[in-house]
Amino acid sequence: MHNSASAGPPAKPRVGSSQVSEASLKRKRGVFQKDLQHMMYGFGDDPNPLPETVSLVEDIVVEYITDMVHKAQNIASKRGRLLTEDFLYLVRKDPPKLHRCTELLSMHEELKLARKAFDVNEETLATAD
Amino acid sequence: MEAPPPPQPAASAEQPAPAAASSQPPEPTQTPSPSPSPSPAPDPAQPPPVSAPPPPSAAPSAAQNPPQLQPQSLPPSQSQPPPPQQQSQPQQPIQQPRPPLVRNRPPAPFPHFSHHLPSSAPPSSSTSASASASASSAAPAPSPSAASQRGGLAIGVPAHSSHLPRAQQPVATYSSIGASPAFNQPFTPLPRMTEQSSAANAQVRQPIQGIQNIGMIGSLSTTTQIRPGGVTGPPQQRLVQPTSRAASPSTNQTLGSQKFPNSGLIRGPSMVSSGSISSVPQQSLVSSQGKQMPASSSSFRPQAKPNVLQQRPHSLQQTQQPPSAASHQQQIPTSQQQQQQKQQQFQMQLQQQQQQPQFHQQHSSPRQTQEYYNQQNLQLRNQQQLLQQQPARPLGPATTKPNPPTLVQTNVAQPAVTHPVVGTDAAESGDHILGKRSLRELVSQIDPSEKLDSEVEDVLVEIAEDFVESVATFACSLAKHRKSTTLEAKDILLHVERNWNMMLPGYGGDEIKCYKKQFTNDIHKERLAVIKKSMAATGDAANPKNASGGPAAASSKSHAQKAPPIGSPKA
C-alpha cells in the first residue's frame, strides 16, 4: 500500500498528467467526459447533462488534480519519490475526502488479496484436476 | 468650417444670445479675415471644441452668453486683433478666435473658465448654443485637423462646456472639460492646456475630486493623476456617462482609437457636463447640471435635444428633490450630491418607465457574469481608454455589451431619446458594471429575504467598478508584456489567479500548467545528504552526542566540499 506501484488510481492520473504536460503542453478535451456524465447523474444532474457543463466540470477536475500533484511533488521532493502518503497528507484537513481516500485504498488492497487468493484457488484446483 | 465658426463667435461675443444670432451676420465680414489667419496658428485644440459646440450653442446660449462674455472680455486677446469680436465668441462656435481668447482669460472671474477656456472656452460657449449635433459634429471634424496640434477639445467637451458657464457648482466639471479636450485628441501635448488647466484646476480644486483629477490630466503626462481620483472617478464616470452619451459618437470613436486609459476617465468628467444636458437622467450630474442649465441643455446637439426635453423635467424633479431630499444630501459634497441625485433620478425613471426591457436584459446579466470578464477582456483592448464608459459604444446594441444592466437602464430611462444616443448612453449610463437591479438579483440569490441599504448598494457598485477597472488595467499590462496587442482571457486569468486568489475554471484554454520543480542548490543537496549519512551512521546507538557531532562533522565536511561545488557552477 505504501509502494508507489500499489498506489494505483491515485498515482496513475498524476503520472499521466505530468507526462502529458511536459510532452505536449496541450490538454486533451473530453478525457473524463463519459465518466463524468455518469458521475454527475449520480450526484443529481440530468442523465444527459449539457456538454458545456461536462466540459466545465472536467476543467475543474483537471485543474484540481494538477494543483494537487504539484503540491504533492513539492512535498515529496524532499524525500525523493512521490508516494501515496503525500496525497493523503494534502487532504488531511478534509475529513470526508480523507476518509474516502483511505477507504478506497483499503478496498483496493482487499481486492488485490482476493484476486490473489482466487488465483491461488484456481491453481490448486487446476493442479488438483 | 473655420469661416462659419469665426463669424459666429465674433457675433456672439458682442451681443448676448439673442443678439448673437443677429450679430453674426454683420460680423462675419469683419471676423473672417482676421479669424481665419490666426485661427490655424492658435490653439488647434480650441478650434475643435469650438467647432463642435458652435452651432448648437448659437440659439440657447442666451443665458450662457453673459457669463461667457464676462470672462472673455476681461483678458484681451493677444493673438487676434479683434478682441471684442473674440470675446463674443464664446457664445458662438467660433473655433479660431476662441483659442486666443481662451488663453488670455486666465484671470477671468470664473476660474473654471480659464482652464477650459483655452481649450474649450470658445467651444463651451458654442456648445451651449449647440444648435444641431450635425453642425457641431461637422465643425469639429475640420477643426480637429487644425486642433490636432493642440489636442484640443473633443466633441464631447463642447456639449458640457455650454452649461459650464452657467453652472456654478460644477466648477469641477469645467476643469474636467478643459482637460478633456486635451484628451480627446491623440497624445498631443497640450502645453497651453496644461498651464491653463492646471491653473484652473488649482482654483477649481474644491469641487468633486474625481473631476479635478481628471481635469488635471490636461496633459497626457499627467494621466497618472487620474489614479488617485479612481475612487471618486467611478461616481463621476457615471455622471460622465450620460454626458458622453450626449457627445457625438464620433468623439467616442476617436477616443476609442486612442489607447489611453486615462483618456477615458478624462472624457468622463468632460462628459459629465454634457451629461447633464444629455438625457441620461440616471446620473446625478444631470440633476445638478440640469438645474443650472436648463437652457443650455436645449443648446446641446440634436442628440441631446430630446434628452434635454426629458432632462428638464428630470432636472426640475431633481431640483425639487434635493431640497426636499434629506438635508444630509446638501451637506454631502457635490460629488455625493450628484450621485444621490443620479440615483434618485434613476429610480424615478425606472418607476416611470416600463421595466419589461430591463427584466429581459437584467435576467441575462447574471448569466453573463461569467462571460462578462471574457467579453470585456476581449473588447477591452479597444476600450481601454474608454474604460467602462465607452465599451458599449463600439459594441453597439446593448445586448452584446457586457453591461446589460446599464444598457437596460439607459434604454428604459429614455425611450424617447434618439436611438443613437441611447446606444451610446447605454454604456455610459450611471451604472457601468453593475446595476442596482442586477445587484438586488444577486443578493436574492444568496438570501431571498436580504435587503441592502441604498448606501451599501452604492458602495458595492463602486467596488465592482473599481475591481473591473483594476483587473482590466493590470490584464492589459500583462498582455502588453506578452508583446501582444490583444487582451485575452489568459491575461485576466493570470492576474486574478495570482493577485486575487480566484480560480476561474472554464476559461483556461488547452494549456496545462507545467510543474516547476523546486530549485535546490547543489550545496544544499550535499548538506542534506551528509546529514542523512551522519544520522544513519550514528543511528540509534549514537545518541544526542553522536547526533550532534554528526551534524557538526557533516557541516564541516559540507564546508570543505563547498569549494568544488561553487567552482563547478562558475566553470
Side-chain angles (χ1 to χ4, degrees):
Chain A
M1 177 163 169
H2 300 282
N3 291 339
S4 58
S6 67
K12 274 184 200 165
R14 165 188 63 84
V15 173
S17 64
S18 63
Q19 287 174 353
V20 171
S21 62
E22 285 170 343
S24 64
L25 282 181
K26 269 274 179 180
R27 195 180 84 192
K28 270 197 234 170
R29 291 277 170 172
V31 178
F32 300 119
Q33 194 176 12
K34 293 209 175 101
D35 303 322
L36 271 181
Q37 282 185 357
H38 298 309
M39 289 179 76
M40 286 165 75
Y41 174 56
F43 277 94
D45 198 356
D46 192 79
N48 287 324
L50 279 177
E52 291 87 5
T53 313
V54 176
S55 110
L56 176 65
V57 174
E58 183 197 341
D59 284 352
I60 296 170
V61 165
V62 169
E63 194 172 336
Y64 176 74
I65 293 172
T66 308
D67 185 55
M68 286 273 292
V69 168
H70 288 184
K71 284 190 199 154
Q73 185 65 46
N74 284 343
I75 293 171
S77 62
K78 300 192 174 90
R79 189 183 332 127
R81 300 201 60 184
L82 189 63
L83 302 175
T84 317
E85 278 64 30
D86 299 322
F87 289 94
L88 291 175
Y89 171 79
L90 285 174
V91 294
R92 70 192 184 282
K93 292 281 179 68
D94 193 346
K97 273 207 199 87
L98 183 64
H99 181 73
R100 179 75 177 149
C101 285
T102 50
E103 179 188 350
L104 285 173
L105 287 169
S106 63
M107 288 304 298
H108 183 70
E109 291 299 320
E110 281 186 29
L111 286 172
K112 229 199 300 189
L113 289 172
R115 279 194 215 103
K116 204 187 215 182
F118 178 72
D119 291 336
V120 167
N121 288 343
E122 285 289 328
E123 285 174 8
T124 53
L125 286 174
T127 53
D129 296 342
Chain B
M1 292 299 301
E2 295 180 352
Q8 293 176 357
S12 61
E14 295 180 352
Q15 301 175 3
S22 59
S23 61
Q24 292 179 7
E27 301 199 358
T29 55
Q30 301 173 0
T31 52
S33 53
S35 53
S37 53
S39 58
D43 317 335
Q46 295 179 356
V50 173
S51 61
S57 59
S61 59
Q64 299 172 354
N65 293 335
Q68 293 174 356
L69 288 174
Q70 295 174 9
Q72 295 174 356
S73 60
L74 294 177
S77 59
Q78 300 169 356
S79 59
Q80 297 185 0
Q85 296 174 353
Q86 294 172 354
Q87 292 176 358
S88 60
Q89 291 173 359
Q91 301 173 358
Q92 311 259 340
I94 299 177
Q95 303 174 1
Q96 302 167 358
R98 287 183 196 159
L101 288 177
V102 176
R103 276 174 284 169
N104 302 331
R105 295 201 190 137
F110 297 87
H112 52 265
F113 285 110
S114 60
H115 66 86
H116 64 261
L117 278 181
S119 58
S120 58
S124 61
S125 60
S126 61
T127 54
S128 61
S130 60
S132 57
S134 60
S136 57
S137 59
S143 57
S145 58
S148 58
Q149 306 171 8
R150 209 177 141 156
L153 296 172
I155 297 178
V157 175
H160 43 262
S161 60
S162 60
H163 65 259
L164 290 179
R166 290 186 185 175
Q168 296 176 358
Q169 290 182 1
V171 177
T173 58
Y174 296 133
S175 61
S176 61
I177 296 173
S180 60
F183 300 105
N184 292 326
Q185 298 279 327
F187 300 83
T188 54
L190 302 172
R192 295 178 197 168
M193 286 295 298
T194 44
E195 296 170 6
Q196 294 171 347
S197 62
S198 61
N201 291 337
Q203 298 173 357
V204 185
R205 283 281 156 82
Q206 303 166 6
I208 304 166
Q209 293 179 357
I211 297 180
Q212 290 176 358
N213 290 336
I214 300 176
M216 301 265 304
I217 305 176
S219 60
L220 297 177
S221 59
T222 55
T223 50
T224 54
Q225 296 177 3
I226 300 179
R227 288 295 161 233
V231 177
T232 56
Q236 309 230 339
Q237 288 175 0
R238 295 192 215 113
L239 299 177
V240 175
Q241 283 177 351
T243 60
S244 57
R245 182 177 55 79
S248 64
S250 60
T251 54
N252 300 331
Q253 295 171 1
T254 53
L255 291 179
S257 61
Q258 298 176 6
K259 296 178 184 178
F260 191 61
N262 293 329
S263 63
L265 288 175
I266 298 172
R267 288 197 84 256
S270 62
M271 304 306 296
V272 173
S273 58
S274 62
S276 65
I277 300 173
S278 62
S279 58
V280 180
Q282 299 173 359
Q283 300 188 1
S284 58
L285 250 195
V286 179
S287 61
S288 61
Q289 295 176 352
K291 299 189 252 180
Q292 301 170 354
M293 327 202 22
S296 62
S297 59
S298 61
S299 64
F300 286 92
R301 306 187 196 126
Q303 291 178 356
K305 274 182 187 173
N307 302 338
V308 172
L309 296 176
Q310 291 184 356
Q311 289 174 359
R312 285 189 180 171
H314 292 300
S315 64
L316 291 174
Q317 293 170 356
Q318 289 179 351
T319 51
Q320 295 172 0
Q321 290 173 6
S324 62
S327 59
H328 69 275
Q329 287 184 357
Q330 298 172 358
Q331 299 169 2
I332 297 173
T334 48
S335 60
Q336 294 182 8
Q337 282 182 357
Q338 291 179 358
Q339 291 177 13
Q340 291 180 357
Q341 292 171 357
K342 174 177 58 174
Q343 291 169 7
Q344 289 177 358
Q345 213 177 13
F346 170 66
Q347 292 173 359
M348 284 175 51
Q349 292 175 355
L350 286 180
Q351 296 171 359
Q352 294 171 2
Q353 302 179 1
Q354 297 177 1
Q355 302 175 354
Q356 292 175 3
Q358 286 180 356
F359 284 120
H360 171 68
Q361 292 189 5
Q362 286 175 357
H363 285 312
S364 61
S365 61
R367 278 186 266 118
Q368 295 179 9
T369 44
Q370 283 188 358
E371 306 164 6
Y372 172 72
Y373 286 126
N374 269 355
Q375 290 177 3
Q376 259 208 346
N377 300 335
L378 296 176
Q379 300 158 354
L380 266 172
R381 191 73 181 109
N382 304 329
Q383 306 164 2
Q384 287 180 11
Q385 323 118 20
L386 308 181
L387 292 177
Q388 304 154 357
Q389 300 168 4
Q390 303 178 355
R393 290 186 207 144
L395 295 180
T399 53
T400 58
K401 292 176 187 172
N403 298 332
T406 59
L407 295 177
V408 174
Q409 294 168 358
T410 51
N411 291 335
V412 175
Q414 305 161 355
V417 178
T418 56
H419 291 292
V421 176
V422 172
T424 53
D425 289 336
E428 305 166 4
S429 64
D431 308 324
H432 301 263
I433 304 293
L434 193 61
K436 295 293 176 66
R437 195 161 287 278
S438 36
L439 179 62
R440 289 194 205 109
E441 281 181 16
L442 286 171
V443 170
S444 68
Q445 287 177 12
I446 298 169
D447 187 352
S449 62
E450 182 70 31
K451 291 283 179 275
L452 294 177
D453 294 341
S454 65
E455 293 174 351
V456 173
E457 288 178 355
D458 295 341
V459 166
L460 286 175
V461 167
E462 197 170 324
I463 289 171
E465 290 176 4
D466 288 344
F467 174 75
V468 170
E469 183 183 335
S470 71
V471 167
T473 306
F474 198 93
C476 288
S477 57
L478 283 178
K480 188 177 168 186
H481 180 69
R482 207 167 28 95
K483 298 189 187 71
S484 160
T485 58
T486 313
L487 182 66
E488 293 175 7
K490 50 186 172 183
D491 302 317
I492 306 269
L493 285 173
L494 180 64
H495 172 56
V496 161
E497 190 177 321
R498 294 208 133 244
N499 299 114
W500 290 91
N501 194 21
M502 279 201 266
M503 296 289 167
L504 303 174
Y507 300 101
D510 296 332
E511 294 146 8
I512 301 181
K513 227 187 313 178
C514 284
Y515 171 68
K516 293 164 201 162
K517 201 172 170 190
Q518 270 183 344
F519 172 72
T520 49
N521 239 346
D522 298 339
I523 304 170
H524 185 67
K525 283 183 197 165
E526 287 188 19
R527 287 197 212 118
L528 289 174
V530 170
I531 290 171
K532 273 187 198 172
K533 276 186 218 168
S534 66
M535 288 188 61
T538 56
D540 313 13
N543 284 340
K545 253 198 194 173
N546 291 341
S548 61
S555 60
S556 62
K557 285 185 204 169
S558 62
H559 282 296
Q561 295 168 359
K562 264 186 203 176
I566 293 176
S568 54
K570 286 183 186 175

